[in-house]
Structures are given as structure tokens and as C-alpha cells.
Amino acid sequence: MSILVTGGAGFIGSNFVLDWLKHHDEPVINLDKLTYAGNLENLASLKNDSRHIFVQGDIADQRQIDRLLEQYQPRALINFAAESHVDRSIHGPRDFIQTNIMGTFTLLDSARGYWSRLDGPRRQEFRFLHVSTDEVYGSLEPGEPAFSETHRYEPNSPYSASKAASDHLVRAWYHTYGLPVLTTNCSNNYGPYHFPEKLIPLLIVNALAGRPLPVYGDGRQVRDWLYVTDHCSAIRRVLEAGIPGEVYNVGGWNEKTNLEVVHNVCNLLDELCPRADEGSYIQQITHVADRPGHDRRYAIDARKLERELGWTPAETFETGIRKTILWYLDNPQWVERVQSGAYRDWVSQNYEGRV
Ligand code: NAD
Ligand code: DAU
């Protein structure tokens, strides 16, 4: 038995592969295109572990997906692969349409062919788990109830629209063809191996390098933060016991404004790695022009997952953010290497000229 994971060299995917192999001996076939966001260094601890088989490839390459499914005969496919950064989707949406929509379509089509050829028990057991986001539900006003699984879809960015489209395809493959799919819609993750284009790792690496800490607009936008290994445990639980065709929201009950997050990170860094000049990292906060179409608030109602499958997060924001900062302080080489030339190009494209 094995599972096929896509996007397993990215932030959540690599945490999932590491977490999976901590809990199981079942091999993982890891298909990843290794875009700018894919980093095999995240999986360096598995170098001599025969349970991890890495294959470089594109989820939109049907021949390769068909070949992998036939060769390894996995009992499940878990789709993490995506273009995932909202700001990049604003600057260049094409890759998001190609990977998130065409790629998911290709995976579904290949999985359907493979699944329909399986014999009785293996056919019954097969699962296609699609990892999605709370951003498909759009933006909440202050005081509005958190997103439940039946909240209408109202994506606002090219990224969230492409993820919404992929969720609809997954739903259709269940209703039309009976493919046993599961969908998870999760809130903002943070933790080790997070690429420093996203808010929390960007704050940590900029703070330590003495650079500005850019806060978009008034910084009062709200996100609901979940430590990444809690997302991994939720996915393991949904794979194990989720009902095909169902959707499960995953969240940490940790709503914070961006300003709260920035202050939290600065205060912890002041404690764990004080500035040489004895000033506070808070002095580096800089308000910059807002993200176009910026969603004001996300909040996830994760009660279905708790009620039906017994999942709850293990970390609070306070425990998770401390672990995260300690990980970045303990891994300066990883931090240095991900800030390559391509990363610097992105930083100047996104931040230069923001007033
Ligand atoms: P990431 O950008 O860190 O990683 C994406 C991975 O997918 C990379 O390794 C990349 O190389 C790979 N990839 C991209 N295009 C590919 C393609 N065409 N074929 C094969 N591999 C490809 O993303 P992440 O933050 O780890 O997110 C993983 C998934 O979880 C995404 O589907 C995202 O929408 C979803 N999600 C993310 C968050 C979050 O807070 N980061 C929250 C909820 C849901
Ligand atoms: O909600 C789940 C989503 O969370 C995932 O689907 C996405 O893949 C993931 O990237 C994340 O999207 P966000 O846009 O919420 O994450 P990001 O880290 O880019 O931004 C978090 C908040 O911080 C958001 O309100 C924008 C703001 N921000 C971000 C950056 C990069 C800043 O104020 N300054 C910044 O420099």
C-alpha cells in the first residue's frame, strides 16, 4: 500500500510527508514540479528513507500521472500542489489557472480512470483528497459567523477563484462519476518550512535582517491561524474517516488582526533574539499600500470536523508561533538559501513602489 501526494516539497506538503512518515510506515510517492515554492531541502531528513519516493513532475501532465498511478497503485491521492500566493496571483494569474484548475482536472481525470479499473475492495477503499482553502468563501464582515461548509462560494482573488474552480471540479467528479473524493478547506497555516513570501515567515526573516516589516493598508484585516502540523493531523483524520463527497473545514479558532500578529512576532523576537542596538523589532513596522481586493476577514467554523471525526487542534497561536520562531532561529542556512536571486526579484516586484 502507498499514498500519492502532490506538492509534497512545498510548505504544507513537506510538513505532511514528514508527519505522515512519523505516524505510518506506508510509503509516500511525492510528485512535485519544484516551482520556486518547492524545496527538497525540506525533506532532507528523509534522504535515506526508502518510504519516501520523490518524482519531479507536473500535475497537469496526464501521461506522467497515469504512469505513476499504474506503477505504484496508491490507495489514495492527496492533492496539495498549487500556486498558493495571493499577491503573485495578482501580478500573474496564468500559472494559477493552469496548475490549480487544469492540474486538478488532470489529476481527477487520471484518478477516475485508475479507480474505475481497480477491483472491488481496492476500488471501495480509494480516496482522492483535495486540499483547499477558506479563501473560496470570500470575506467576512466583523461579527459575521465564521465560514461553515455550506457558506456560499465568493472568491475575490485570482488565487481563490482558481481554488474555488478546482473545488467545483472535485465536487462534480463525485456527483457525476462517483469518484470517492474528500475536500478540506483550511485557514491560514504557519510553521516550519514556510516560504518567506507569506506574512509570518516574511516578518521573521525581514526582522532578523533589519529590513522593514511591511503591513498592507491599516493592518486590521483578520486571519484565522493554524499551526501546520494541526492541518496535517486533520488531513490524516479526514483521509482515515471522512465520508466520500463531504467537505470539512479546518481551522484553529485563532482569529488575529495582522497588526496583532506583527506585534506578537516582534515581541517574541525581542525576547528570543534581541536586536544588537537593544531597540525593539516593532520599530521596523512600516505601513505600505494595500493589496488590491484585499479580503478583510476570514474565520473558520471547524465544528463539523470536531463533531463527526473528533479532530481538534493541538496548538494555540501562542504555542505555535513560539515553535515557529524558534525553528527559524535554529535554521539560518535554510532561511539564507531560500532567499535566492528569484526570491529577491519577487520582493522587488511586490514591495518596491508600494507607498
Ligand atoms: P506552497 O506554494 O508552499 O507549495 C506548493 C507546492 O506545489 C510546491 O512544492 C510546488 O513546487 C508544487 N507545485 C506547484 N505547481 C505544481 C504543478 N503544476 N505540479 C506539481 N507540483 C506543483 O503551498 P502551500 O502553502 O504548501 O499550500 C499547499 C496547498 O494547501 C495548496 O493547495 C493551498 O491552496 C492549500 N492551502 C494553503 C494554506 C496556507 O496557509 N498556506 C491554507 C489552506 C490551504
Ligand atoms: O486562508 C488561507 C490562505 O492563507 C491560503 O489559501 C493561501 O495559500 C495562503 O497564502 C494564505 O493567504 P493570505 O493572503 O491570507 O496569506 P499571506 O501570508 O499572503 O497574508 C496574510 C495577511 O497578511 C493578509 O491579510 C495580507 C497581509 N500581508 C501579507 C504580506 C505578504 C501584509 O500585511 N504584508 C505582507 O507583506
Side-chain angles (χ1 to χ4, degrees), residues 45-60:
S45 61
L46 301 177
K47 200 164 170 226
N48 298 314
D49 192 328
S50 59
R51 298 171 305 166
H52 177 236
I53 299 156
F54 180 77
V55 181
Q56 185 169 6
D58 191 326
I59 58 166

Side-chain angles (χ1 to χ4, degrees), residues 83-87 132-135 159 163 186-189 194 197-202 214-217 219 221-225 258 288 291 294-295 298 350-351:
E83 289 293 336
S84 68
H85 190 32
V86 174
D87 292 315
S132 194
T133 170
D134 59 359
E135 299 202 12
Y159 163 68
K163 290 296 289 188
C186 188
S187 62
N188 285 62
N189 284 214
H194 205 181
E197 63 185 355
K198 310 280 169 62
L199 179 67
I200 288 181
L202 183 95
V215 173
Y216 294 165
Q221 305 83 4
V222 173
R223 296 294 182 265
D224 183 353
W225 294 94
N258 292 338
V288 299
R291 171 187 279 174
H294 199 170
D295 284 337
Y298 305 141
N350 193 43
Y351 295 97

Side-chain angles (χ1 to χ4, degrees), residues 57-323:
D58 191 326
I59 58 166
D61 178 350
Q62 183 136 21
R63 282 228 301 242
Q64 187 169 23
I65 310 296
D66 287 346
R67 249 197 331 264
L68 280 178
L69 290 169
E70 281 313 312
Q71 184 178 351
Y72 292 104
Q73 302 274 311
R75 70 168 173 96
L77 190 163
I78 307 176
N79 181 29
F80 292 93
E83 289 293 336
S84 68
H85 190 32
V86 174
D87 292 315
R88 284 189 195 252
S89 82
I90 296 167
H91 287 277
R94 186 171 297 276
D95 287 347
F96 289 72
I97 305 304
Q98 174 58 25
T99 286
N100 300 358
I101 305 180
M102 288 308 294
T104 304
F105 157 69
T106 306
L107 285 178
L108 285 164
D109 212 36
S110 285
R112 178 167 76 95
Y114 165 71
W115 165 76
S116 65
R117 290 188 296 276
L118 291 174
D119 57 21
R122 299 206 58 217
R123 193 179 147 100
Q124 263 200 320
E125 199 183 86
F126 183 78
R127 296 287 182 271
F128 183 108
L129 194 157
H130 180 59
V131 179
S132 194
T133 170
D134 59 359
E135 299 202 12
V136 298
Y137 300 123
S139 183
L140 292 168
E141 294 299 323
E144 264 191 280
F147 299 128
S148 72
E149 288 79 1
T150 53
H151 197 282
R152 72 177 168 207
Y153 269 41
E154 275 184 331
N156 292 319
S157 72
Y159 163 68
S160 55
S162 67
K163 290 296 289 188
S166 70
D167 292 7
H168 290 323
L169 291 173
V170 171
R171 177 187 160 88
W173 259 242
Y174 172 73
H175 282 276
T176 305
Y177 304 112
L179 185 70
V181 304
L182 298 156
T183 301
T184 55
N185 291 89
C186 188
S187 62
N188 285 62
N189 284 214
Y190 66 101
Y193 306 114
H194 205 181
F195 191 73
E197 63 185 355
K198 310 280 169 62
L199 179 67
I200 288 181
L202 183 95
L203 293 173
I204 300 170
V205 307
N206 277 14
L208 295 174
R211 294 192 290 258
L213 306 179
V215 173
Y216 294 165
D218 65 5
R220 299 198 187 281
Q221 305 83 4
V222 173
R223 296 294 182 265
D224 183 353
W225 294 94
L226 183 70
Y227 191 64
V228 64
T229 52
D230 279 327
H231 190 185
C232 297
S233 71
I235 292 171
R236 281 194 282 109
R237 184 66 191 138
V238 171
L239 184 64
E240 181 177 59
I243 308 290
E246 289 291 314
V247 173
Y248 299 91
N249 281 357
V250 188
W253 305 104
N254 280 311
E255 282 188 62
K256 304 257 175 244
T257 66
N258 292 338
L259 277 175
E260 283 176 300
V261 170
V262 183
H263 279 260
N264 223 300
V265 168
C266 289
N267 291 335
L268 274 169
L269 283 172
D270 285 343
E271 173 197 328
L272 299 169
C273 186
R275 276 182 17 172
D277 66 359
E278 294 177 9
S280 169
Y281 291 101
I282 286 174
Q283 294 163 280
Q284 289 167 233
I285 295 174
T286 313
H287 284 263
V288 299
D290 208 349
R291 171 187 279 174
H294 199 170
D295 284 337
R296 198 67 185 163
R297 172 175 168 242
Y298 305 141
I300 275 282
D301 178 343
R303 282 178 298 179
K304 175 177 173 182
L305 187 51
E306 179 171 359
R307 191 175 59 243
E308 296 186 7
L309 304 186
W311 175 87
T312 50
E315 304 290 343
T316 62
F317 187 71
E318 287 64 34
T319 59
I321 194 70
R322 182 174 283 272
K323 281 188 182 180

